[in-house]
Amino acid sequence: DTAARLGGDEFVVILEDLDDVTDELLHVKTVADRISRELYRPFQLLRGSGGETITYQCSASIGISAFGEPGVTATELLRRADTAMYQAKAAGRNAVCFFDPAMQAAVTERATLHADLREAIRAGQFELHYQVQMDAQRQPSGAEVLLRWQHPDKGLIHPGGFIDLAEETGLIVPLGHWVLATACRQLAQWSQRATTAHLRLAVNVSARQFRQPAFADEVQALLEETGAPADRLKLELTESSLLEDTTAVIERMERLRALGIRFSLDDFGTGY
């Protein structure tokens, strides 16, 4: 076998003389698992100020592609292995993934969706729908905001088709700002009519958006700009929003609560 360093923390291992397809896959997986185990072994890099030994561990994300397909160049082979490696990283790192055409198609589709999503935010292709919420007397007490993407080619796309990508790329922050601003304008309109002034509006806020240091200032500015009543706005947070940097989270929630905003915990216990 041959091992080489491409640069940085990327390496290539070439396994040769593998004939039977079944045995080949088993053997390659065995080698990949052994590399992972060896790299995961603890090691001492330096000593602390008090002379104590500091232990480190690292892990490997491994992508595998098979050579032998007609017309596949060395460059294409490396690109396929690289694609599989990033799939391994997406699976939680310290993983092994094989390349296949379906994987490459998914990567291409994701890149296209990312470009479309960025353009959608710029061109204002999103709209809010409102799901009515009822009280114990079966009277409307408010609504929950539902985000929809009116794609020019694919039609109406529900959040399951783009929210994860928006979170991953950071586009959830400008998108979330638009949702909040639009919801506040709707609340302000409702507050002007006696028949709708009592309605509350619940808005989902992503963990990444909520962790922005200026989030409380942003919400306060939107309330002042639109004239929306703060006590009619409810922010729905997922449990993951509360699990990191709890001191800052509590401070942010207290600031928003002081404005009159209410909170609810969304998707609790579902693993989101």
Side-chain angles (χ1 to χ4, degrees):
D1 303 333
T2 303
R5 176 171 177 264
L6 285 184
D9 60 352
E10 292 194 340
F11 296 79
V12 171
V13 175
I14 303 172
L15 307 181
E16 301 180 67
D17 300 324
L18 303 173
D19 298 320
D20 182 79
V21 174
T22 303
D23 289 342
E24 172 184 327
L25 293 177
L26 290 174
H27 178 69
V28 171
K29 182 67 164 59
T30 300
V31 173
D33 289 342
R34 181 183 173 190
I35 291 172
S36 293
R37 284 196 306 272
E38 289 296 320
L39 288 173
Y40 197 67
R41 290 172 57 184
F43 61 93
Q44 286 76 47
L45 187 63
L46 50 75
R47 292 187 179 277
S49 56
E52 73 279 11
T53 299
I54 301 177
T55 302
Y56 292 83
Q57 280 181 294
C58 65
S59 62
S61 298
I62 301 178
I64 301 169
S65 61
F67 182 76
E69 184 179 331
V72 177
T73 64
T75 300
E76 172 64 13
L77 190 68
L78 287 172
R79 187 189 64 78
R80 290 183 175 187
D82 199 49
T83 299
M85 180 194 68
Y86 278 100
Q87 185 74 7
K89 287 186 176 182
R93 299 178 181 271
N94 198 29
V96 177
C97 285
F98 286 83
F99 176 86
D100 62 51
M103 186 187 301
Q104 181 58 44
V107 170
T108 302
E109 181 181 358
R110 196 167 181 83
T112 301
L113 185 64
H114 183 200
D116 287 354
L117 187 57
R118 190 178 295 278
E119 172 61 19
I121 294 174
R122 188 197 65 78
Q125 296 173 2
F126 294 94
E127 56 189 44
L128 296 187
H129 293 196
Y130 301 95
Q131 179 173 297
V132 177
Q133 296 175 330
M134 312 294 280
D135 61 21
Q137 287 70 47
R138 304 183 70 82
Q139 296 299 311
S141 61
E144 179 177 1
V145 165
L146 304 176
L147 179 63
R148 299 291 184 263
W149 177 5
Q150 190 63 55
H151 194 285
D153 300 318
K154 300 178 181 178
L156 202 65
I157 303 179
H158 287 228
F162 62 89
I163 285 295
D164 285 349
L165 181 61
E167 285 271 11
E168 180 184 317
T169 59
L171 292 175
I172 194 69
V173 175
L175 179 55
H177 178 85
W178 177 86
V179 171
L180 270 174
T182 306
C184 285
R185 284 194 292 270
Q186 181 64 70
L187 262 181
Q189 290 177 17
W190 285 351
S191 69
Q192 300 303 311
R193 298 194 298 269
T195 54
T196 55
H198 68 287
L199 297 177
R200 296 185 185 279
L201 192 54
V203 181
N204 282 281
V205 176
S206 80
R208 187 163 187 166
Q209 182 185 4
F210 187 73
R211 290 184 191 128
Q212 297 297 307
F215 179 73
D217 294 329
E218 173 191 341
V219 175
Q220 184 173 0
L222 286 174
L223 291 172
E224 293 172 355
E225 176 188 327
T226 61
D231 62 344
R232 302 283 98 190
L233 177 63
K234 180 164 67 174
L235 301 182
E236 295 193 344
L237 308 175
T238 57
E239 57 191 279
S240 59
S241 306
L242 313 177
L243 298 180
E244 295 182 18
D245 197 6
T246 52
T247 301
V249 167
I250 291 170
E251 181 181 326
R252 207 163 294 141
M253 291 181 75
E254 286 178 341
R255 279 196 58 195
L256 294 168
R257 182 67 175 163
L259 298 174
I261 293 172
R262 297 163 63 90
F263 294 93
S264 67
L265 197 58
D266 197 27
D267 296 326
F268 180 75
T270 61
Y272 277 41

mmCIF file of all heavy atoms in Angstrom, residues 214-232:
data_model
loop_
_atom_site.group_PDB
_atom_site.id
_atom_site.type_symbol
_atom_site.label_atom_id
_atom_site.label_comp_id
_atom_site.label_asym_id
_atom_site.label_seq_id
_atom_site.Cartn_x
_atom_site.Cartn_y
_atom_site.Cartn_z
ATOM 1 N N ALA A 214 -26.297 40.622 19.037
ATOM 2 C CA ALA A 214 -27.172 41.799 18.908
ATOM 3 C C ALA A 214 -28.637 41.415 18.716
ATOM 4 O O ALA A 214 -29.453 42.259 18.338
ATOM 5 C CB ALA A 214 -26.702 42.654 17.728
ATOM 6 N N PHE A 215 -28.999 40.150 19.002
ATOM 7 C CA PHE A 215 -30.361 39.710 18.708
ATOM 8 C C PHE A 215 -31.413 40.522 19.474
ATOM 9 O O PHE A 215 -32.421 40.941 18.907
ATOM 10 C CB PHE A 215 -30.522 38.219 19.028
ATOM 11 C CG PHE A 215 -31.906 37.701 18.762
ATOM 12 C CD1 PHE A 215 -32.361 37.517 17.463
ATOM 13 C CD2 PHE A 215 -32.767 37.412 19.821
ATOM 14 C CE1 PHE A 215 -33.647 37.053 17.218
ATOM 15 C CE2 PHE A 215 -34.046 36.945 19.581
ATOM 16 C CZ PHE A 215 -34.484 36.758 18.272
ATOM 17 N N ALA A 216 -31.191 40.743 20.764
ATOM 18 C CA ALA A 216 -32.164 41.496 21.567
ATOM 19 C C ALA A 216 -32.307 42.924 21.035
ATOM 20 O O ALA A 216 -33.431 43.459 20.958
ATOM 21 C CB ALA A 216 -31.751 41.505 23.037
ATOM 22 N N ASP A 217 -31.195 43.543 20.665
ATOM 23 C CA ASP A 217 -31.251 44.893 20.086
ATOM 24 C C ASP A 217 -32.028 44.880 18.779
ATOM 25 O O ASP A 217 -32.797 45.802 18.487
ATOM 26 C CB ASP A 217 -29.827 45.420 19.833
ATOM 27 C CG ASP A 217 -29.057 45.645 21.117
ATOM 28 O OD1 ASP A 217 -29.699 45.969 22.133
ATOM 29 O OD2 ASP A 217 -27.824 45.504 21.092
ATOM 30 N N GLU A 218 -31.821 43.844 17.981
ATOM 31 C CA GLU A 218 -32.510 43.716 16.692
ATOM 32 C C GLU A 218 -34.024 43.644 16.889
ATOM 33 O O GLU A 218 -34.789 44.336 16.213
ATOM 34 C CB GLU A 218 -32.016 42.455 15.983
ATOM 35 C CG GLU A 218 -32.771 42.101 14.709
ATOM 36 C CD GLU A 218 -32.407 40.711 14.207
ATOM 37 O OE1 GLU A 218 -31.353 40.178 14.616
ATOM 38 O OE2 GLU A 218 -33.187 40.154 13.416
ATOM 39 N N VAL A 219 -34.456 42.805 17.835
ATOM 40 C CA VAL A 219 -35.890 42.656 18.090
ATOM 41 C C VAL A 219 -36.489 43.957 18.608
ATOM 42 O O VAL A 219 -37.558 44.395 18.164
ATOM 43 C CB VAL A 219 -36.148 41.514 19.090
ATOM 44 C CG1 VAL A 219 -37.634 41.433 19.444
ATOM 45 C CG2 VAL A 219 -35.678 40.181 18.511
ATOM 46 N N GLN A 220 -35.795 44.616 19.536
ATOM 47 C CA GLN A 220 -36.284 45.882 20.078
ATOM 48 C C GLN A 220 -36.421 46.935 18.980
ATOM 49 O O GLN A 220 -37.417 47.664 18.918
ATOM 50 C CB GLN A 220 -35.348 46.383 21.182
ATOM 51 C CG GLN A 220 -35.855 47.664 21.859
ATOM 52 C CD GLN A 220 -35.012 48.057 23.063
ATOM 53 O OE1 GLN A 220 -34.044 47.358 23.400
ATOM 54 N NE2 GLN A 220 -35.367 49.130 23.717
ATOM 55 N N ALA A 221 -35.444 46.988 18.076
ATOM 56 C CA ALA A 221 -35.492 47.947 16.978
ATOM 57 C C ALA A 221 -36.663 47.656 16.040
ATOM 58 O O ALA A 221 -37.341 48.594 15.584
ATOM 59 C CB ALA A 221 -34.175 47.919 16.201
ATOM 60 N N LEU A 222 -36.938 46.382 15.780
ATOM 61 C CA LEU A 222 -38.062 46.023 14.917
ATOM 62 C C LEU A 222 -39.396 46.407 15.551
ATOM 63 O O LEU A 222 -40.311 46.885 14.871
ATOM 64 C CB LEU A 222 -38.039 44.522 14.618
ATOM 65 C CG LEU A 222 -36.973 44.040 13.637
ATOM 66 C CD1 LEU A 222 -36.972 42.514 13.535
ATOM 67 C CD2 LEU A 222 -37.193 44.656 12.259
ATOM 68 N N LEU A 223 -39.507 46.215 16.859
ATOM 69 C CA LEU A 223 -40.745 46.583 17.552
ATOM 70 C C LEU A 223 -40.976 48.091 17.478
ATOM 71 O O LEU A 223 -42.102 48.559 17.232
ATOM 72 C CB LEU A 223 -40.680 46.131 19.018
ATOM 73 C CG LEU A 223 -40.713 44.614 19.263
ATOM 74 C CD1 LEU A 223 -40.444 44.317 20.728
ATOM 75 C CD2 LEU A 223 -42.058 44.024 18.839
ATOM 76 N N GLU A 224 -39.907 48.842 17.677
ATOM 77 C CA GLU A 224 -40.026 50.307 17.627
ATOM 78 C C GLU A 224 -40.316 50.791 16.210
ATOM 79 O O GLU A 224 -41.122 51.707 16.004
ATOM 80 C CB GLU A 224 -38.731 50.941 18.152
ATOM 81 C CG GLU A 224 -38.493 50.689 19.636
ATOM 82 C CD GLU A 224 -37.117 51.147 20.091
ATOM 83 O OE1 GLU A 224 -36.316 51.569 19.221
ATOM 84 O OE2 GLU A 224 -36.832 51.071 21.305
ATOM 85 N N GLU A 225 -39.692 50.148 15.241
ATOM 86 C CA GLU A 225 -39.859 50.554 13.841
ATOM 87 C C GLU A 225 -41.263 50.265 13.322
ATOM 88 O O GLU A 225 -41.850 51.070 12.588
ATOM 89 C CB GLU A 225 -38.829 49.826 12.983
ATOM 90 C CG GLU A 225 -38.937 50.068 11.488
ATOM 91 C CD GLU A 225 -38.008 49.157 10.707
ATOM 92 O OE1 GLU A 225 -36.916 48.824 11.222
ATOM 93 O OE2 GLU A 225 -38.384 48.754 9.595
ATOM 94 N N THR A 226 -41.823 49.107 13.689
ATOM 95 C CA THR A 226 -43.123 48.695 13.155
ATOM 96 C C THR A 226 -44.298 49.107 14.023
ATOM 97 O O THR A 226 -45.434 49.149 13.556
ATOM 98 C CB THR A 226 -43.168 47.160 12.980
ATOM 99 O OG1 THR A 226 -42.985 46.534 14.274
ATOM 100 C CG2 THR A 226 -42.075 46.695 12.026
ATOM 101 N N GLY A 227 -44.025 49.380 15.302
ATOM 102 C CA GLY A 227 -45.116 49.702 16.218
ATOM 103 C C GLY A 227 -45.862 48.478 16.696
ATOM 104 O O GLY A 227 -46.981 48.582 17.226
ATOM 105 N N ALA A 228 -45.266 47.291 16.527
ATOM 106 C CA ALA A 228 -45.912 46.055 16.973
ATOM 107 C C ALA A 228 -45.912 45.980 18.494
ATOM 108 O O ALA A 228 -44.912 46.327 19.135
ATOM 109 C CB ALA A 228 -45.177 44.853 16.392
ATOM 110 N N PRO A 229 -47.011 45.520 19.108
ATOM 111 C CA PRO A 229 -47.062 45.383 20.571
ATOM 112 C C PRO A 229 -46.225 44.201 21.036
ATOM 113 O O PRO A 229 -46.472 43.066 20.619
ATOM 114 C CB PRO A 229 -48.554 45.158 20.855
ATOM 115 C CG PRO A 229 -49.099 44.588 19.589
ATOM 116 C CD PRO A 229 -48.294 45.166 18.469
ATOM 117 N N ALA A 230 -45.228 44.454 21.872
ATOM 118 C CA ALA A 230 -44.302 43.399 22.301
ATOM 119 C C ALA A 230 -45.014 42.289 23.064
ATOM 120 O O ALA A 230 -44.627 41.113 22.968
ATOM 121 C CB ALA A 230 -43.197 44.004 23.164
ATOM 122 N N ASP A 231 -46.063 42.641 23.819
ATOM 123 C CA ASP A 231 -46.740 41.622 24.615
ATOM 124 C C ASP A 231 -47.609 40.693 23.771
ATOM 125 O O ASP A 231 -48.201 39.750 24.272
ATOM 126 C CB ASP A 231 -47.586 42.262 25.713
ATOM 127 C CG ASP A 231 -48.690 43.153 25.156
ATOM 128 O OD1 ASP A 231 -48.634 43.517 23.964
ATOM 129 O OD2 ASP A 231 -49.616 43.489 25.921
ATOM 130 N N ARG A 232 -47.685 40.950 22.474
ATOM 131 C CA ARG A 232 -48.430 40.065 21.564
ATOM 132 C C ARG A 232 -47.484 39.149 20.779
ATOM 133 O O ARG A 232 -47.933 38.317 20.004
ATOM 134 C CB ARG A 232 -49.239 40.883 20.546
ATOM 135 C CG ARG A 232 -50.240 41.851 21.125
ATOM 136 C CD ARG A 232 -51.487 41.141 21.618
ATOM 137 N NE ARG A 232 -51.434 40.926 23.057
ATOM 138 C CZ ARG A 232 -52.289 40.167 23.733
ATOM 139 N NH1 ARG A 232 -53.232 39.507 23.111
ATOM 140 N NH2 ARG A 232 -52.199 40.038 25.032
#
